[in-house]
Amino acid sequence: TELPITVLVDGNTASAAELFAAAVRDSEKAVLIGNTTFGKGVVQRTYFLSDDSCVRFTVGEFLPPSGNSFNGKGLTPDYEVSFTDEQAKNPYILGNNDPYIKKAVEHLNGVTK
């Protein structure tokens, strides 16, 4: 698409969601808005043992097109946005007062002008 794209991220953005965010940013198709992501850039596999215990091994690493690993450090957004303490208490009812959405709309309006 030739339309501008924003991807909203925060500390709960992890694993494949981080890979998606990194990939669209690396392709210069999108900007990231929010705060630093979780930093889970590895693939793990759980093996169950006969005594009902299990062991988990890291079997791979997610690498976006840039090749820069985000494992253990997360992705830093292009535009930093966070909830206030009051907003964080009930982020699902913010509507037009959501700072992430406001910043995304502001960015998209600036890009499309």
Side-chain angles (χ1 to χ4, degrees):
T1 183
E2 296 302 316
L3 296 172
I5 301 169
T6 61
V7 178
L8 305 181
V9 297
D10 66 11
N12 293 315
T13 306
S15 200
E18 284 175 294
L19 180 60
F20 170 79
V24 293
R25 180 168 65 181
D26 286 356
S27 68
E28 299 180 359
K29 297 285 185 186
V31 298
L32 306 185
I33 294 176
N35 46 56
T36 302
T37 63
F38 185 81
K40 185 176 187 307
V42 294
V43 180
Q44 296 174 317
R45 180 151 184 191
T46 303
Y47 295 92
F48 293 93
L49 306 175
S50 60
D51 65 355
D52 290 332
S53 65
C54 64
V55 63
R56 181 176 290 172
F57 291 104
T58 299
V59 296
E61 183 174 19
F62 292 128
L63 289 177
S66 69
N68 297 325
S69 174
F70 53 84
N71 190 53
K73 57 188 171 193
L75 300 169
T76 302
D78 300 295
Y79 298 97
E80 186 83 28
V81 176
S82 294
F83 290 127
T84 65
D85 289 341
E86 190 63 31
Q87 290 169 330
K89 291 178 185 175
N90 242 331
Y92 304 108
I93 62 168
L94 294 175
N96 291 333
N97 294 318
D98 185 315
Y100 290 79
I101 303 285
K102 279 184 171 182
K103 186 64 175 180
V105 169
E106 176 185 303
H107 173 73
L108 293 171
N109 284 335
V111 170
T112 58
K113 286 183 179 176

